[in-house]
Amino acid sequence: MTSSIYIDGKWRPAIDGATREIRSPADGTLVATVSDGKIADALAAISSARTSFDSGLFSSWSWKERSVLLTKIALLLERDIEIIANLESGDTGKRIIESKYDVADVSATFRHFAKLALDHHDRVLDSGLPNVTSKVTYEPIGVCSLIGPWNYPLLQISWKVAPALAAGCSFILKPSELTPSTAIHLIKLIEEAGAPAGVANLVTGSGAAFGDTLTTDPRVDFVSFTGGLPTGKRIIIKAAETVKRVALELGGKNPNIIFADADLDVAIDFAVTAAFLHSGQVCSAGTRLIVERPIHDQVVQEIVRRAKQIRLGGPADLTAETGPLISENHLKKVEEYLAKGISEGAKLLVGGTRCTTEKLSTGWYFPPTVLDDCNTSMYCVQEESFGPILTVEVFDTIDEAIKLGNDTIYGLSGAVWSRDQTKCERVSKELRHGTVWVNDYGPYKPQAEWGGFKASGNGRELGEHGLQEYLEIKHIWVNNSPTRSGWFADKN
Ligand code: NAD
């Protein structure tokens, strides 16, 4: 769709006419051609969102009316699940079934915020004075720049778009330049559901200068970003100039701690999924296996055996269990990361070289890879590969397990496996990560907040807090029978 920029209710091409090809990472086929927006397009989208917000048209809708809009969008997402799943798998190379799970989660996100909007109310306070009413109200924060990554393209932007609409904001959506197709479809559904022109604006484009426009313009009130740490740091610095509120969902280096008394069959099965689901391109991937010394050999041997069996393939391959990496650039980064790990002393047990069989050679495939003998001084333990690489560390005591789990600049998620409830409680309390799973790995609920401690970000998405991010708080004090204060003497 070469007119993929949506501003003030109209689809149009980039101002300079530039386009970008989207190619399947599974086999290189052309899946879409979209507008390649530039700074002028971003500025036009900001103008549209600002005019829309300042008109008060949408922000004056009642919470109930906005809740109805969100429910309509959820229904449209459910209606179009096949179309959207195909678009998502086309851009990302992930299996259709995984894209369908994602669309179901997106719809659940809209329903969650529809319910929050319906339940929303101001807080009436006891002023302590008979003639005074005092209340705290929640107003839309204004114009929002919503910037998303490529790994869960539609899901990650839905965590921003749904609360922005629930709150009554106007926004500029910028999906990843690698995976814009489902964002384009979502905007069509928002239009179909009846959002006024100018509320939802979409710019497809790439590059730091283009992105900076969305985070520096004084007409933007709030930036919500999901992506890598370097981009997140840049956004905070850029947004500081205009004192914008910024919410960041960044990377993770997530510990998966297995004690010797765990149900090992289940723990190993989940460890394999945690590390290799979506070929490791998951912010909460369990990429750090931290295992109690006596069971190290047993656990690692079994994970290696399981890793060798994982079948790779594109969306059209119904036997595939996971797909390709997103791009050639990303594949090269994963290879460099692995080489660095090995040069630091990590021991390669399985995987490690890109797939070159005839079936996989046209895509960006990298096999499940396990590095043993790792420790926290290594780059491969500290930094995200965002690929299918699992590092293994050992521990001897619960104190050591907790210390290792927290020995990272990140703090997104982690897990602990043990049959001892007291041990699990202590570890889950002391891990400094935004989500901790006990004897499980991966589930999340739209009703529960998602986000990171430390360098994994600030703010929270989903839950109730995910709506608060899009609201300004105002205290309104009304004196119904004003009299003089008498603070200063009136000598006349
Ligand atoms: P990225 O930082 O490269 O890009 C993310 C988005 O930022 C893209 O849309 C990109 O075009 C845009 N961008 C680039 N430069 C910009 C600038 N100067 N200003 C504004 N926007 C700019 O990240 P990615 O490679 O797309 O995504 C992978 C990363 O996302 C990983 O680190 C992963 O852990 C993280 N992630 C985190 C979560 C979470 O919930 N915490 C979820 C998914 C992904």
Side-chain angles (χ1 to χ4, degrees):
M1 187 183 177
T2 49
S3 289
S4 64
I5 292 177
Y6 185 75
I7 294 177
D8 196 20
K10 292 176 214 67
W11 292 97
R12 63 161 181 76
I15 285 171
D16 68 0
T19 57
R20 159 184 289 269
E21 289 186 345
I22 309 297
R23 292 195 170 267
S24 163
D27 56 17
T29 51
L30 182 67
V31 291
T33 304
V34 298
S35 317
D36 195 16
K38 300 290 170 352
I39 291 174
D41 298 291
L43 290 171
I46 294 169
S47 298
S48 163
R50 189 75 251 170
T51 306
S52 146
F53 186 75
D54 292 344
S55 78
L57 174 63
F58 182 58
S59 57
S60 63
W61 281 25
S62 68
W63 284 92
K64 188 170 174 201
E65 286 170 315
R66 294 199 297 263
S67 173
V68 170
L69 176 75
L70 290 177
T71 305
K72 277 190 197 161
I73 297 169
L75 284 166
L76 294 172
L77 285 158
E78 287 151 19
R79 181 196 70 188
D80 285 0
I81 187 164
E82 295 286 337
I83 299 169
I84 302 170
N86 276 296
L87 290 171
E88 195 79 309
S89 290
D91 284 5
T92 61
K94 72 167 75 170
R95 296 180 307 154
I96 299 280
I97 184 77
E98 288 183 43
S99 293
K100 283 189 184 167
Y101 290 143
D102 293 350
V103 183
D105 284 0
V106 171
S107 162
T109 299
F110 276 88
R111 287 188 186 280
H112 163 66
F113 285 106
K115 179 162 187 329
L116 275 191
L118 206 56
D119 296 345
H120 187 84
H121 52 81
D122 293 338
R123 267 168 50 221
V124 177
L125 309 176
D126 178 4
S127 69
L129 296 166
N131 297 320
V132 170
T133 54
S134 164
K135 68 175 176 179
V136 173
T137 63
Y138 300 86
E139 301 177 1
I141 193 166
V143 171
C144 310
S145 287
L146 310 179
I147 303 171
W150 49 259
N151 62 331
Y152 285 90
L154 187 62
L155 184 63
Q156 295 299 331
I157 60 172
S158 77
W159 294 5
K160 307 177 189 307
V161 169
L165 289 173
C169 296
S170 295
F171 63 81
I172 308 103
L173 174 63
K174 196 208 92 57
S176 166
E177 59 275 21
L178 301 174
T179 55
S181 299
T182 47
I184 296 169
H185 196 83
L186 176 64
I187 293 290
K188 289 181 191 164
L189 299 186
I190 293 171
E191 186 183 33
E192 186 180 343
V199 169
N201 301 277
L202 171 74
V203 281
T204 46
S206 63
F210 176 73
D212 289 347
T213 312
L214 298 173
T215 60
T216 54
D217 193 298
R219 294 169 297 169
V220 172
D221 300 296
F222 173 59
V223 178
S224 176
F225 169 80
T226 300
L229 177 58
T231 319
K233 282 182 184 170
R234 181 184 175 107
I235 287 174
I236 271 199
I237 292 165
K238 293 279 174 190
E241 193 59 41
T242 46
V243 200
K244 286 187 209 324
R245 224 196 284 167
V246 174
L248 302 174
E249 293 289 343
L250 308 176
K253 196 66 202 175
N254 312 293
N256 187 14
I257 300 171
I258 306 184
F259 283 90
D261 62 357
D263 179 336
L264 290 188
D265 183 52
V266 178
I268 290 167
D269 183 62
F270 272 86
V272 170
T273 310
F276 304 129
L277 173 80
H278 195 16
S279 291
Q281 300 169 116
V282 181
C283 55
S284 53
T287 50
R288 288 181 66 198
L289 182 71
I290 302 179
V291 61
E292 199 164 4
R293 195 177 302 276
I295 55 163
H296 165 272
D297 292 359
Q298 179 190 353
V299 170
V300 170
Q301 273 164 25
E302 186 58 10
I303 289 177
V304 167
R305 187 184 74 77
R306 294 281 307 273
K308 284 180 186 161
Q309 297 174 10
I310 294 175
R311 293 191 303 269
L312 278 73
D317 178 353
L318 296 181
T319 66
E321 294 175 299
T322 190
L325 298 181
I326 190 68
S327 65
E328 184 176 18
N329 263 348
H330 188 48
L331 175 55
K332 283 183 182 153
K333 267 176 35 194
V334 169
E335 286 174 330
E336 283 163 18
Y337 174 99
L338 179 69
K340 199 160 179 174
I342 293 170
S343 74
E344 284 176 310
K347 188 167 146 201
L348 177 65
L349 298 183
V350 65
T353 27
R354 67 167 78 186
C355 307
T356 52
T357 59
E358 199 188 342
K359 183 181 141 205
L360 301 178
S361 61
T362 52
W364 312 122
Y365 292 94
F366 199 81
T369 295
V370 178
L371 289 178
D372 201 1
D373 293 349
C374 296
N375 62 64
T376 49
S377 70
M378 293 174 170
Y379 179 83
C380 63
V381 173
Q382 290 298 337
E383 272 310 321
E384 253 191 330
S385 73
F386 224 51
I389 299 181
L390 177 67
T391 61
V392 184
E393 301 155 72
V394 285
F395 69 90
D396 292 301
T397 64
I398 183 168
D399 290 338
E400 201 186 346
I402 294 166
K403 188 163 177 279
L404 287 174
N406 286 333
D407 189 1
T408 160
I409 60 164
Y410 294 106
L412 189 60
S413 63
V416 53
W417 296 84
S418 164
R419 287 193 171 94
D420 179 339
Q421 204 183 332
T422 314
K423 207 186 272 178
C424 290
E425 270 171 23
R426 180 171 164 214
V427 177
S428 60
K429 188 160 180 287
E430 293 187 27
L431 279 182
R432 299 212 8 100
H433 294 262
T435 297
V436 178
W437 294 288
V438 177
N439 293 322
D440 210 331
Y441 203 104
Y444 75 96
K445 302 271 299 168
Q447 293 77 16
E449 278 74 5
W450 177 266
F453 286 31
K454 303 193 278 180
S456 288
N458 56 20
R460 289 291 181 273
E461 295 196 297
L462 301 178
E464 291 184 16
H465 195 87
L467 178 58
Q468 296 295 330
E469 299 274 22
Y470 292 82
L471 296 171
E472 278 289 12
I473 302 172
K474 184 183 281 176
H475 175 210
I476 302 179
W477 172 278
V478 181
N479 189 336
N480 295 304
S481 55
T483 55
R484 278 186 158 214
S485 76
W487 187 272
F488 293 108
D490 183 350
K491 305 230 171 49
N492 295 327

